[in-house]
Amino acid sequence: MSTFDNATADRPIGLTAPSGIDRAAHHRLDEAWLAAAWSHPTTRVFVVSGGQALLDDTPDGGTELVMTPSFEAPLTETHRYFLGTDEDGVCYFALQKDTLPGRMDQSARPAGLREAGLLLGPRDAGLMVHAVALENWQRLHRFCSRCGERTVIAAAGHIRRCQACGAEHYPRTDPAVIMLVTDDQDRALLGRQVHWPEGRFSTLAGFVEPGESIEQSVAREVFEEAGVTVGEVEYIASQPWPFPSSLMLGFMARATSSEINVDGEEIEEARWFSREDLSAAFESGEVLPPFGVSIAARLIELWYGKPLPRPGSFG
């Protein structure tokens, strides 16, 4: 995946582990197959609402999605999304509802992907990423962008069709670049967005613009946000980021200048850190370590050479 060779190189990136789910896209237009799959006794279903699903703790200390057989699932006329099958032939569906269902035992809790991605196993995390991405798209694209008429759901949730003009609309994914920039002294450039809490620093990031390569996007975003120019760019890994519809493309980039000039709109502060500087700043509490499912933490760890401290681990 990268040319970095240290204790963090093999650490997994959140939401990217193989899920073991075959999306089986060739079945999405086969209504008879979908109906049979829905009614099969082994089929499992979960509800997604507002980017959240219900989680429950397992006796072995794990966490899993709350899933039910299809005959116990809440009723819905159209918002039923086929997510795929596993190696045992079990089919999985997500239902989009306005609210999450309650649980008789009161043990389940609602959670979004930022929390769930840290707790769920690969299968459930992969299913939830898929479902949340579809739900986000469905909620925001109910009308045809060509003629303005209402669209209808097709292909088990993966197409919206306009019955007025015949247009088909597909789930969108917006490519975004996220990069750790280092200079000729092997210092890392970290920035703090204007709406982040004091002390929170992370990598720079931004969206790819039309007609732009991802390498050009890396250089443009770094210069726009921090005033630093970059040359060599190395791709590391990607990560689905359905908040609401992005694919994060992770890079290491080498700076060809070191003077910082932040834009003041997205980035309020940016600084160069040596490994010693960053370690001391973590320990003193001056800098809060990025934590969560974002690929940003893994990019920093590749340079840092060891896992980042968890919040609250000092003192």
Side-chain angles (χ1 to χ4, degrees):
M1 183 176 67
S2 80
T3 59
F4 288 81
D5 183 17
N6 58 45
T8 69
D10 294 328
R11 282 168 58 81
I13 297 170
L15 310 180
T16 64
S19 65
I21 299 295
D22 177 357
R23 293 196 174 197
H26 56 289
H27 289 309
R28 292 173 185 168
L29 294 172
D30 188 338
E31 294 298 333
W33 187 93
L34 290 170
W38 175 258
S39 61
H40 198 278
T42 64
T43 290
R44 290 296 177 265
V45 182
F46 66 95
V47 175
V48 61
S49 179
Q52 292 189 319
L54 288 178
L55 308 186
D56 208 351
D57 297 326
T58 60
D60 61 1
T63 303
E64 62 183 12
L65 285 172
V66 173
M67 289 192 264
T68 66
S70 56
F71 62 83
E72 294 181 3
L75 296 177
T76 181
E77 294 183 359
T78 57
H79 292 277
R80 185 170 77 191
Y81 310 142
F82 172 60
L83 304 179
T85 63
D86 65 18
E87 61 183 6
D88 296 320
V90 175
C91 295
Y92 296 89
F93 288 81
L95 300 181
Q96 177 181 322
K97 303 290 287 185
D98 290 334
T99 59
L100 293 174
R103 282 285 295 249
M104 294 292 291
D105 56 15
Q106 300 296 312
S107 65
R109 63 189 185 280
L113 271 174
R114 286 185 171 86
E115 176 187 354
L118 295 170
L119 301 173
L120 295 175
R123 185 202 67 179
D124 286 9
L127 290 170
M128 188 173 174
V129 167
H130 191 175
V132 167
L134 285 177
E135 185 212 16
N136 285 334
W137 174 68
Q138 293 282 357
R139 289 186 183 277
L140 296 175
H141 294 82
R142 293 176 296 169
F143 297 92
C144 179
S145 59
R146 180 183 293 177
C147 72
E149 292 296 319
R150 183 177 287 274
T151 56
V152 297
I153 296 173
H158 295 76
I159 295 177
R160 291 194 73 100
R161 290 197 177 113
C162 179
Q163 296 178 313
C165 71
E168 288 190 347
H169 305 278
Y170 296 84
R172 62 178 295 168
T173 297
D174 301 317
V177 292
I178 183 167
M179 46 275 172
L180 182 69
V181 180
T182 58
D183 67 1
D184 57 5
Q185 301 178 51
D186 202 23
R187 298 179 300 174
L189 179 64
L190 302 179
R192 187 171 70 82
Q193 293 189 18
V194 294
H195 62 275
W196 286 355
E198 192 70 28
R200 177 73 67 197
F201 281 81
S202 190
T203 55
L204 304 182
F207 287 103
V208 179
E209 293 188 346
E212 183 178 55
S213 72
I214 54 178
E215 293 84 1
Q216 290 169 336
S217 181
V218 169
R220 176 184 52 77
E221 285 288 347
V222 173
F223 186 76
E224 287 180 357
E225 294 186 350
V228 172
T229 59
V230 300
E232 181 183 356
V233 173
E234 178 188 0
Y235 171 74
I236 301 298
S238 64
Q239 180 187 42
W241 198 247
F243 301 108
S245 57
S246 294
L247 176 66
M248 302 296 286
L249 306 169
F251 297 88
M252 294 291 187
R254 179 66 71 175
T256 57
S257 70
S258 59
E259 183 177 351
I260 294 173
N261 183 21
V262 297
D263 62 8
E265 296 181 3
E266 292 185 59
I267 302 298
E268 186 172 47
E269 181 183 3
R271 293 165 53 185
W272 291 107
F273 291 90
S274 68
R275 293 173 182 81
E276 294 75 17
D277 292 338
L278 191 58
S279 179
F282 284 154
E283 189 164 3
S284 69
E286 178 186 357
V287 170
L288 303 176
F291 178 67
V293 295
S294 173
I295 191 175
R298 296 296 177 265
L299 293 176
I300 297 172
E301 285 180 339
L302 282 175
W303 163 81
Y304 194 52
K306 58 184 177 181
L308 300 181
R310 296 173 64 92
S313 62
F314 288 116

